[in-house]
Amino acid sequence: MAYKIVIDSGHGGSDPGATYNGRQEKDDNLRLAMAVGNILSQNGVDVAYTRTSDMYQTPFEKAQIANEADGDFFISFHRNSSPRANQYSGVETLLYDLSGDKLEMAENINGALGELGFHNLGVHARPGLVVLRKTRMPALLIETGFINTEEDNARFDQQFDEIAQAIAYAILGSLEEEEIQEESAETSPLYRVQVGLFREKQNADNLLYELQDMGYPAFLLQEDGFYKVQVGAFRILSNAIKMEQRLRQDGFSTWITTR
């Protein structure tokens, strides 16, 4: 299944968003949104943008653009702020409510950013936000660190490529798992490369984020009391074998499964 994701850069134009020492949130949002969108496009996802330049849109206009694009997910990029400089630090993701595929994707994104050193402030429901309330698709709003916290700004600048990759691969892994679940009722088998089997979710998460950080479309399945870390879902066995060979060359122990 081909997915379409609508990427939104929060604020823009006459609305700078949060500011700090000359730094404007709208610029960080656009830079990160375009970087993540580019990675998703390179991995076969159809990406639409609410804006690709410094222009103003109301939140209602952003939601309208997303609805007209008829995407499968809407992801809005922001930076957080606080009343006092260096008061808070970390990443959080906001949703209309804490349910469905969007919740799993949000948790995957936060977890991946946590692996890069950000404090994970969790996933929270914000039903009052227009871009979450008015979009007709699962919607997420990512707050990638506090713009008025030196630690978060340093990480945002120094690890920018890693941050974009972590978010993109967390999204890809979530889409991969959703596709497997949708196709599980079909008779033809899907070959997957399993890299780990754990009883403790934290151990599975550690391996998941390591794989995603290396560029693998890894995902997590919970089944029969275990957490399974898998990569890919292939209808042709030879493609699964090629993926297994890549993983083994990178030092992972693997086996091919249809579950």
Side-chain angles (χ1 to χ4, degrees), residues 4-8 48-50 57 59-75 131 134-139:
K4 174 182 270 190
I5 291 184
V6 182
I7 298 288
D8 171 53
Y49 298 92
T50 57
Q57 300 157 319
F60 290 97
E61 288 173 328
K62 291 175 178 293
Q64 182 179 3
I65 292 170
N67 292 335
E68 290 175 352
D70 194 24
D72 296 294
F73 285 88
F74 173 87
I75 301 177
V131 293
K134 292 295 185 179
T135 43
R136 295 196 297 264
M137 65 213 69

Side-chain angles (χ1 to χ4, degrees), residues 108-183:
N108 287 343
I109 290 170
N110 278 19
L113 292 173
E115 288 293 306
L116 296 181
F118 280 106
H119 301 292
N120 185 348
L121 301 179
V123 180
H124 305 285
R126 293 290 187 274
L129 295 178
V130 171
V131 293
L132 302 181
R133 188 177 78 248
K134 292 295 185 179
T135 43
R136 295 196 297 264
M137 65 213 69
L140 301 81
L141 190 153
I142 307 169
E143 299 273 16
T144 316
F146 284 76
I147 198 169
N148 63 339
T149 294
E150 298 291 348
E151 176 187 350
D152 284 357
N153 283 340
R155 182 165 285 113
F156 188 94
D157 295 335
Q158 296 167 11
Q159 297 177 256
F160 179 82
D161 290 340
E162 295 173 84
I163 291 168
Q165 290 170 2
I167 294 173
Y169 292 138
I171 294 169
L172 289 168
S174 301
L175 296 179
E176 191 79 39
E177 181 174 353
E178 179 179 310
E179 184 168 353
I180 287 171
Q181 291 171 346
E182 289 176 353
E183 295 180 350

